[in-house]
């Protein structure tokens, strides 16, 4: 020990010794700092930091050695061999690096013991190689004991330094203590080993060439050592600062992750167990960190998903593909569910091994609902778009088709959509017309023409409507509407049927739907034009009113189909015979009208003969031969009238005259006809006031039993006493009342008055009241009869309503239903005038009439006509077989009555038995005598 101190104090320069110690301390500090970073790192970073620590430490040890050698003065000139000097540096760096790598990667005691031994050995090897590089004039003798002591001492201090780094918990304390121990290890080895040196000088030994001079080596080593160690310390400082910044950033990030509320962010281990849990996870799923950490994340899935292995498959996908991303239902702690967007990323440890998963979950239930609503709306729009009756196309500002629907494809005959193919409007037109026209030139010209027309509507007018008729005959209504961005929307509607319907409506507005002939509206318009022309050119115009004969009979006997057949056939015939200046129209029912422009009367007569011939030609309907015929009335402009309405009215008057005549089918208008019509209208007006002015009266004609002569009842007959005309015959005013509608109030008055009077009689005889077809067709007749019976108090069995078969023939089913409802009131129903008109046995079968009234025309002929007598006998037999009593009307002679008695007739009525008279006269004396009067 004394020798070591003597060497240190006597043979060394104190200043250089201090410099060497400083460099040793700095290099040790740098090595310890870098070694601590290496131990705190992982993977490649650990090795890099340990290697950097070894290099810094090795160079520092080497620099310490040679600076200390420069401080050594044995009393002779020293020099250094370059090769061994360089080798010593390399050995120092390699062995020191190896030692620190061992201390870094080998855990616990083996690491720091082995590292310390290697580090001590490395310092010793560097020292003794450096001593071997020393060139002195003489020889070096070593003290073996001190050499061993130096190596052991250095190794022990190095082991202690590495142990301090590994075991001391406080980084700063460990750093300072380890630096001091490592410095002591290097210094102790160096100066102990230097104490073992004895130089035996040989003054005659020659000086070698190529040696490094000590003073030069001093400057190089010192400068390099300070620079390198400064860089190491600076780097260590920056690294430490970076580490602190990274740790702070990591803490901030961890704090941020933990505080995120909108996202559940947590880590899973390799088996899917929850390893960490943030506030967002707790907020979203309801579990606290203490409740969920350590549990498998499968608890967030439904039972079905868990049984299907969905959670594990998600981890497998994430591990296999590097990421798993999906959406689905996830469940909270309370059992409620939410729609989640899930991302699972695997992460690796420092050694590149799979260490677990990072899972991020976002509750997107509201977004899902919004997306579903948007999808539903979008789907509804798609459905609506695809099911529109109109075709629709959307074009962008470059005329390119963006969207079209199914109807558009149907209209233009495309099998698939053209949207999304980048086609322009012009290209689509080219395609459409190429399909319609085989000639390319024609197709191109048509496409160009239509394109220019549509562009004018769009660009020039900002949108518009165009109707195009395609080659296939379809009419397409195109509507263009421009958009703010320069694009436009077009709708295409096939309006072929609509146009056809409008044409049909226009046609029907001016034509008869059954026959196709012009109607009254067009007839009036044509007549006005003809009259204007006639006034200008001094011509004549005839208006012909035409009414078919026996048309009602055709309808009643053969049905309305036969009637329609007659109308259509006659219309076709008349239309086929028309010449220039001739016009025919149908006004309705069996009424037609014609116009003839003429100059000579012979022209008009020829026209009338042609029409008359067409009316009288036979027609075959099924197995029947039909022959209608017709009556015509003619009024001529300007002699009969100068206006269209007057001409038509005068032609009607002439036509009714012809219809009333027995042997005349054509009648020309006369002024007297107009006078008769005016009188008839005046009489109709007076008839409306007859009830209020008490001009009507009831007369009664007795009805008796043929066998016993007993009074059965009375028929109620209506009489009108006109203040100016006197007594107006029923045959004149009853048809007029039915025609003008006055029969309804008159018929109600008759029924009410007759029931009132009958209810006041002491006798219980029946009254028979005639019922008009107009009354029966009125929907209120049943309630009217019921109200009258209730209000008058007449027993319903005393009221008998008489109808003719023609009353029910127009609407037989409805009429019979009405009669049944009346009969349910207790009122009896009689069929009047039987034997004339239709006298259909089907009518008797369809309704249980209570009485058959034999028409009086048979009584007029029964005395002299065997045929009439046979008919009377047959009707009486029919009544007996049906158990329906028969009443004969018009009995005026005793012989007629005797015949009825002989044939077994039940009841009779006529002048022989009693004339119609007011009830006051009938009941003035004995009732039977009054009836016979």
């Amino acid at each position: 020990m004394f020798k070591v101190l003597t060497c240190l104090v006597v043979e060394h320069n104190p200043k250089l010794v201090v410099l060497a110690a400083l460099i040793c301390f700095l290099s040790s500090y740098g090595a310890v700092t870098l070694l601590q970073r290496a131990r705190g790192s992982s993977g490649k970073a650990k090795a890099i930091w340990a290697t950097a620590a070894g290099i810094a430490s090795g160079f520092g040890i080497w620099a310490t050695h040679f600076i200390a050698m420069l401080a050594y003065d044995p009393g002779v000139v020293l020099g250094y061999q370059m090769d061994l000097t360089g080798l010593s540096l390399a050995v120092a760096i390699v062995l020191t690096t190896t030692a620190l790598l061992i201390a870094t990667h080998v855990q616990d005691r083996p690491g720091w013991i082995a590292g310390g031994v290697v580090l001590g050995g490395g310092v010793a090897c560097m020292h003794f190689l450096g001593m071997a590089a020393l060139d002195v004039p003489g020889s070096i003798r070593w003290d073996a004991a001190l050499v061993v002591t130096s190596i052991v001492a250095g190794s022990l201090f190095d082991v202690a330094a590495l142990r301090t780094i590994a075991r001391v918990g406080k980084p700063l304390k460990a750093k300072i203590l380890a630096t001091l121990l490592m410095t002591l290890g290097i210094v102790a080895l160096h100066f102990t080993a230097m104490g073992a040196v004895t130089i035996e000088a040989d003054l005659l030994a020659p000086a070698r060439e190529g040696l490094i001079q000590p003073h030069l080596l001093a400057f190089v080593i010192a400068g390099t050592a300070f620079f390198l160690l400064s860089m190491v310390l600076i780097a260590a400082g920056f690294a430490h600062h970076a580490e602190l910044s990274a740790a702070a950033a990591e803490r901030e990030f961890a704090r941020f992750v933990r505080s995120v509320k909108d996202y559940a962010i947590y880590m899973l281990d390799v088996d899917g167990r929850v390893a960490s849990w943030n506030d967002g996870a707790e907020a979203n799923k309801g579990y606290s960190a203490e409740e969920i950490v350590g549990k498998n994340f499968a608890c967030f899935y439904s039972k079905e998903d868990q049984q299907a292995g969905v959670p594990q498959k998600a981890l497998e996908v994430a591990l296999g593909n590097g990421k798993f991303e999906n959406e689905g239902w996830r469940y909270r702690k309370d059992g409620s569910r939410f729609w989640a967007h899930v991302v699972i990323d695997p992460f690796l440890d420092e050694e590149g091994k799979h260490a677990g998963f990072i899972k991020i979950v976002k509750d997107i239930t509201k977004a899902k609902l919004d997306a579903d609503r948007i999808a539903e709306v979008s789907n509804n729009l798609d459905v609506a778009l695809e099911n529109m009756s109109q075709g629709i196309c959307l074009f962008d500002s470059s005329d390119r088709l963006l969207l079209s629907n199914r109807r558009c494809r149907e209209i233009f005959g495309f099998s698939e959509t053209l949207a999304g193919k980048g086609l322009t409007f012009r290209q689509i037109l080219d395609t459409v017309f190429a399909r319609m026209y085989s000639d390319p030139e024609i197709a191109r010209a048509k496409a160009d023409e239509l394109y220019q027309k549509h562009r004018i509507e769009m660009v020039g007018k900002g949108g518009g409507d165009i109707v195009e008729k395609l080659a296939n005959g379809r009419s397409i209504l195109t509507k263009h509407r421009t958009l703010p961005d320069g694009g436009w929307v077009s709708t295409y509607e096939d309006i072929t049927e609509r146009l056809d319907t409008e044409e049909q409506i226009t046609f029907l507005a001016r034509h008869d739907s059954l026959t196709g002939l012009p109607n009254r509206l067009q007839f009036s318009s044509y007549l006005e034009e003809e009259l204007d022309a006639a006034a200008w050119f001094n011509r004549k115009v005839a208006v012909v009113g035409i009414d078919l004969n026996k048309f009602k009979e055709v309808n009643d006997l053969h049905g309305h189909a036969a009637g329609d057949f007659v109308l259509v056939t006659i219309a076709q015939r008349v239309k086929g015979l028309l010449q220039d200046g001739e016009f025919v129209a149908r006004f309705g029912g069996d009424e037609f009208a014609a116009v003839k422009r003429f100059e000579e009367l012979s022209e008009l007569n020829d026209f009338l003969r042609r029409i008359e011939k067409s009316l009288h030609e036979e027609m075959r309907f099924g197995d029947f031969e039909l022959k209608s015929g017709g009556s015509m009335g003619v009024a001529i402009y300007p002699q009969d009238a100068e206006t269209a309405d007057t001409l038509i009215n005068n032609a009607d008057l002439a036509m009714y005259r012809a219809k009333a005549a027995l042997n005349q089918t054509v009648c020309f208008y006369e002024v007297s006809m107009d006078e008769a019509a005016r009188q008839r209208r005046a009489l109709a007006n007076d008839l409306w006031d007859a009830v209020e002015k008490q001009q009507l009266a009831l007369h009664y004609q007795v009805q008796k039993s043929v066998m016993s002569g007993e009074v059965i009842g009375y028929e109620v007959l209506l009489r009108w006493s006109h203040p100016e005309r006197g007594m107006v015959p029923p045959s004149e005013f009853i048809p007029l009342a039915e025609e003008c509608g006055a029969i309804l109030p008159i018929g109600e008055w008759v029924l009410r008055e007759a029931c009132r009077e009958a209810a006041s009689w002491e006798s219980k005889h029946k009254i028979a009241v005639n019922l008009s077809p107009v009354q029966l067709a009125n929907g209120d007749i049943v309630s009217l009869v019921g109200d009258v019976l209730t209000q008058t108090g007449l027993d319903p069995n005393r009221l008998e309503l008489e109808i003719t078969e023609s009353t029910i023939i127009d609407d037989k089913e409805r009429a019979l239903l009405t009669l049944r409802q009346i009969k349910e009131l207790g009122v009896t129903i009689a069929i009047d005038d039987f034997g004339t008109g239709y006298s259909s046995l089907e009518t008797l079968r369809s309704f249980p009439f209570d009485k058959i009234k034999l028409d009086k025309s048979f009584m007029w002929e029964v005395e002299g006509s065997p045929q009439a007598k046979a008919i009377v006998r047959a009707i009486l037999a029919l009544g007996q077989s049906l158990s329906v009593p028969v009443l004969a009307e018009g009995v005026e002679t005793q012989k007629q009555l005797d015949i009825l008695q002989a044939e077994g007739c039940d009841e009779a009525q006529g002048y022989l038995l009693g004339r119609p008279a007011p009830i006051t006269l009938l009941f003035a004396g004995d009732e039977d005598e009054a009836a016979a009067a």
Side-chain angles (χ1 to χ4, degrees):
M1 189 66 182
F2 177 77
K3 188 176 180 179
V4 173
L5 292 175
T6 301
C7 177
L8 177 61
V9 175
V10 175
E11 297 179 358
H12 284 78
N13 186 333
K15 293 181 180 180
L16 291 178
V17 169
V18 173
L19 177 61
L22 179 59
I23 291 176
C24 181
F25 181 83
L26 292 176
S27 65
S28 298
Y29 180 81
V32 170
T33 301
L34 296 177
L35 183 59
Q36 284 183 324
R37 175 152 306 275
R39 291 179 62 85
S41 301
S42 59
K44 294 181 179 180
K46 181 189 288 281
I48 292 172
W49 284 112
T51 301
I55 293 172
S57 179
F59 186 83
I61 294 168
W62 181 84
T64 300
H65 168 76
F66 278 98
I67 291 174
M69 286 301 296
L70 292 176
Y72 179 60
D73 184 10
V76 293
V77 179
L78 301 177
Y80 297 93
Q81 297 178 26
M82 186 175 295
D83 51 352
L84 290 177
T85 301
L87 179 61
S88 65
L89 175 60
V91 169
I93 292 174
V94 171
L95 291 180
T96 304
T97 300
T98 302
L100 297 184
L101 286 172
I102 293 172
T104 301
H105 289 85
V106 179
Q107 300 297 320
D108 299 330
R109 179 179 294 180
W112 48 264
I113 291 176
V117 171
V118 173
L119 179 58
V123 174
C125 288
M126 182 280 305
H127 177 80
F128 291 109
L129 275 175
M131 292 300 295
L134 183 63
D135 188 271
V136 296
S139 61
I140 298 175
R141 183 168 52 84
W142 296 91
D143 185 339
L146 289 177
V147 169
V148 173
T149 301
S150 67
I151 294 174
V152 172
S155 297
L156 289 176
F157 279 115
D158 289 336
V159 169
L162 296 181
R163 180 183 180 281
T164 300
I165 295 173
R167 301 296 293 271
V168 176
K170 296 180 180 180
L172 181 59
K173 181 179 179 181
K175 183 182 296 184
I176 295 173
L177 187 56
T179 300
L180 291 174
L181 289 173
M182 189 176 291
T183 302
L184 287 175
I186 297 171
V187 171
L189 186 146
H190 177 82
F191 286 106
T192 301
M194 288 304 295
V197 174
T198 300
I199 298 176
E200 296 179 351
D202 184 3
L203 299 176
L204 298 177
R208 295 186 185 180
E209 295 180 0
L211 298 178
I212 302 176
Q213 298 300 316
H215 63 277
L216 177 61
L217 184 61
F219 283 110
V220 173
I221 291 174
T224 303
F226 275 111
F227 176 77
L228 181 59
L229 292 175
S230 298
M231 291 299 103
V232 169
L233 293 175
I234 292 172
F238 278 116
H240 179 67
H241 179 72
E243 185 179 46
L244 293 177
S245 299
E250 186 175 347
R251 287 193 300 272
E252 288 297 323
F253 181 73
R255 191 182 305 113
F256 167 74
V257 170
R258 285 194 301 271
S259 63
V260 168
K261 300 290 187 181
D262 294 337
Y263 289 85
I265 304 174
Y266 52 96
M267 295 178 65
L268 307 174
D269 63 16
V270 293
D271 295 322
R273 289 186 293 270
V274 178
S276 67
W277 196 249
N278 77 330
D279 292 345
E282 183 172 347
N284 276 276
K285 302 199 175 186
Y287 294 93
S288 66
E290 292 76 13
E291 293 174 319
I292 197 63
V293 171
K295 291 185 178 180
N296 195 287
F297 83 114
C299 64
F300 306 136
Y301 290 77
S302 66
K303 297 295 184 184
E304 295 78 8
D305 287 348
Q306 293 179 35
Q307 292 172 0
V310 173
Q312 188 59 36
K313 290 178 182 177
L315 297 183
E316 292 172 359
V317 170
L319 192 58
N321 298 338
K323 186 175 187 177
F324 171 82
E325 187 170 2
N326 195 10
E327 292 182 4
W329 291 111
R330 296 295 182 270
Y331 291 81
R332 301 184 178 92
K333 177 183 176 181
D334 61 4
S336 62
R337 68 177 187 173
F338 63 96
W339 189 261
H341 176 261
V342 179
V343 177
I344 302 177
D345 288 307
F347 68 89
L348 307 178
D349 60 14
E350 295 82 355
E351 298 177 357
K353 296 180 180 179
H354 176 222
F357 302 91
I358 298 176
K359 186 176 181 184
I360 303 175
V361 179
K362 169 71 172 175
D363 183 353
I364 58 169
T365 306
K366 185 177 183 304
K368 169 95 165 62
L369 294 175
D370 293 342
D372 288 345
R373 282 193 292 268
I374 292 172
E376 182 181 2
V377 171
S378 178
N379 181 65
N380 291 339
L381 289 175
D382 289 341
V383 171
L385 194 66
E386 286 300 301
N387 289 277
M388 286 178 61
S389 61
Q390 297 174 326
I392 186 169
C393 289
L394 173 64
F395 293 86
D396 62 16
S397 56
S398 300
D399 281 4
R400 298 193 181 279
L401 179 63
L402 301 178
L403 177 147
S404 66
N405 67 344
R406 175 184 55 82
R407 182 56 179 152
C408 186
R409 299 192 295 273
E410 291 175 351
I411 290 176
F412 296 107
F414 292 113
S415 59
E416 60 178 0
T417 181
L418 299 179
K421 296 185 177 180
L423 296 178
T424 63
F425 180 52
R426 176 53 193 268
Q427 291 172 328
I428 293 174
L429 289 179
D430 290 336
T431 304
V432 170
F433 282 101
R435 294 164 62 95
M436 293 182 180
Y437 299 95
S438 56
D439 189 339
E441 292 298 327
I442 296 178
R444 241 186 332 269
K446 290 284 186 182
D448 185 65
E449 177 186 354
L450 188 58
Y451 178 76
Q452 296 301 328
K453 183 189 298 184
H454 283 250
R455 290 303 295 174
I456 290 173
E457 292 293 332
M458 286 184 291
V459 178
K461 300 180 181 179
D465 300 350
I466 301 175
V467 176
E468 292 289 341
K469 193 157 189 175
L470 304 181
N472 58 9
R474 309 299 294 178
S475 296
I476 307 300
L477 171 62
T478 302
K479 294 186 176 183
H480 295 304
R481 296 295 181 268
T482 56
L483 302 176
D485 62 355
W488 42 283
V489 175
S490 294
T491 59
Y492 305 92
E493 182 180 3
D494 188 340
I495 59 171
T496 307
E497 285 75 17
R498 191 175 85 188
L499 292 180
D500 291 344
T501 301
E502 290 175 354
E503 291 177 2
Q504 182 69 12
I505 292 173
T506 302
F507 179 82
L508 292 177
R510 302 181 66 83
H511 291 79
D512 173 53
S513 59
L514 177 64
T515 63
L517 291 176
N519 60 10
R520 185 185 295 271
L521 176 65
Q522 188 170 356
F523 179 87
S524 299
S525 176
Y526 178 84
L527 180 58
E528 292 285 356
E529 293 176 359
E530 284 295 321
L531 293 180
D532 290 342
W536 185 264
F537 295 106
N538 196 25
R539 292 192 300 229
K540 294 181 180 180
V541 176
V543 174
V544 183
I546 306 170
D547 191 80
L548 302 184
N549 297 334
K550 301 179 182 179
F551 181 72
K552 186 175 186 301
E553 180 178 334
V554 171
N555 264 336
D556 293 341
L557 293 179
H558 302 289
H560 291 289
D564 291 346
F565 172 76
V566 170
L567 293 173
V568 172
T569 303
I570 290 177
Q572 292 174 344
R573 288 176 180 175
V574 173
K575 190 160 49 175
L577 59 81
L578 294 179
Q579 299 175 3
D580 183 47
E582 299 172 352
F583 188 86
V584 175
R586 181 190 176 207
F587 281 4
D590 59 349
E591 187 178 355
F592 295 80
V595 175
K596 170 64 179 177
R597 182 177 67 239
F598 68 98
E599 294 181 359
E600 300 293 335
L601 190 61
S602 59
E603 299 175 18
L604 175 60
N605 290 332
D606 175 67
F607 177 60
L608 295 174
R609 279 194 299 270
R610 282 185 279 128
I611 292 180
E612 187 176 13
K613 181 180 179 182
S614 66
L615 295 177
H616 287 83
E617 287 181 359
E618 291 185 350
M619 293 166 278
R620 186 168 187 83
F621 179 74
D623 297 330
F624 300 97
E625 292 287 343
L626 304 178
K627 187 175 181 180
S628 177
S631 301
M632 293 184 287
V634 184
I636 301 174
Y637 170 87
Q639 65 193 47
D640 295 332
E642 294 185 353
T643 65
D645 291 339
T646 307
L647 273 175
I648 294 173
N649 182 66
N650 291 346
D652 283 343
L653 293 175
M655 182 266 294
Y656 286 124
R657 175 69 63 85
K659 201 170 187 66
L662 297 177
N663 57 354
Q664 190 176 7
T665 58
V666 180
C667 185
F668 285 79
Y669 171 77
E670 298 175 1
V671 177
S672 60
M673 297 177 183
D674 195 31
E675 180 62 28
R678 280 196 295 272
Q679 291 179 1
R680 184 176 177 83
R681 286 193 295 271
L683 189 63
N685 292 333
D686 294 340
L687 193 57
W688 279 100
D689 299 331
V691 175
E692 294 182 2
K693 294 180 179 180
Q694 298 182 352
Q695 297 173 1
L696 299 178
L698 297 182
H699 285 200
Y700 296 82
Q701 187 173 26
V702 70
Q703 297 174 337
K704 292 186 177 182
S705 170
V706 173
M707 297 302 177
S708 66
E710 180 184 359
V711 174
I712 304 299
Y714 298 91
E715 180 179 7
V716 180
L717 302 174
L718 183 63
R719 297 292 182 263
W720 182 18
S721 178
H722 194 277
E724 297 177 0
R725 301 169 182 259
M727 296 300 295
V728 181
S731 59
E732 182 177 343
F733 75 81
I734 292 297
L736 183 61
E738 292 178 335
E739 181 181 326
C740 70
I743 193 64
L744 291 176
I746 292 174
E748 180 179 350
W749 179 85
V750 171
L751 180 63
R752 193 177 300 277
E753 186 67 13
C755 290
R756 185 189 63 78
E757 288 187 349
S760 64
W761 299 346
E762 295 181 2
S763 66
K764 301 301 181 182
H765 294 141
K766 298 185 71 167
I767 57 171
V769 179
N770 287 279
L771 202 62
S772 165
V774 179
Q775 289 177 279
L776 189 62
N778 185 22
D780 294 335
I781 185 63
V782 178
S783 60
L784 174 63
V785 173
D787 291 343
V788 168
L789 291 174
T790 301
Q791 293 169 9
T792 60
L794 181 69
D795 186 350
N797 293 324
R798 294 182 59 197
L799 176 62
E800 183 174 83
L801 298 180
E802 297 183 0
I803 63 168
T804 61
E805 189 174 10
S806 61
T807 302
I808 62 175
I809 201 67
D810 288 337
D811 191 351
K812 189 173 183 180
E813 183 176 351
R814 181 176 180 275
L816 293 178
L817 175 62
T818 301
L819 292 176
R820 287 189 182 93
Q821 292 174 338
I822 294 175
K823 191 173 177 66
E824 289 175 357
L825 298 175
V827 177
T828 57
I829 307 295
I831 183 168
D832 199 8
D833 297 338
F834 192 80
T836 62
Y838 304 104
S839 299
S840 171
L841 298 179
E842 170 63 20
T843 303
L844 293 178
R845 187 193 67 81
S846 301
F847 186 81
F849 289 98
D850 298 292
K851 185 179 292 184
I852 297 174
K853 295 190 72 174
L854 185 65
D855 188 69
K856 59 188 175 184
S857 61
F858 294 109
M859 290 294 98
W860 296 343
E861 301 177 5
V862 72
E863 296 181 51
S865 172
Q867 293 86 354
K869 189 174 183 180
I871 290 174
V872 169
R873 183 180 297 118
I875 294 174
L876 293 174
L878 176 64
Q880 292 171 1
S881 64
L882 294 176
S883 300
V884 177
V886 177
L887 183 149
E889 294 181 296
V891 179
E892 297 181 354
T893 66
Q894 185 62 44
K895 187 175 181 180
Q896 292 173 348
L897 184 60
D898 293 341
I899 294 174
L900 292 177
Q901 290 176 337
E903 297 296 336
C905 183
D906 300 289
E907 302 170 5
Q909 172 185 342
Y911 286 171
L912 177 65
L913 304 177
R915 291 178 175 275
I919 196 65
T920 53
L921 180 61
L922 290 176
F923 287 173
D926 182 77
E927 192 171 293
D928 292 336
E929 293 178 1

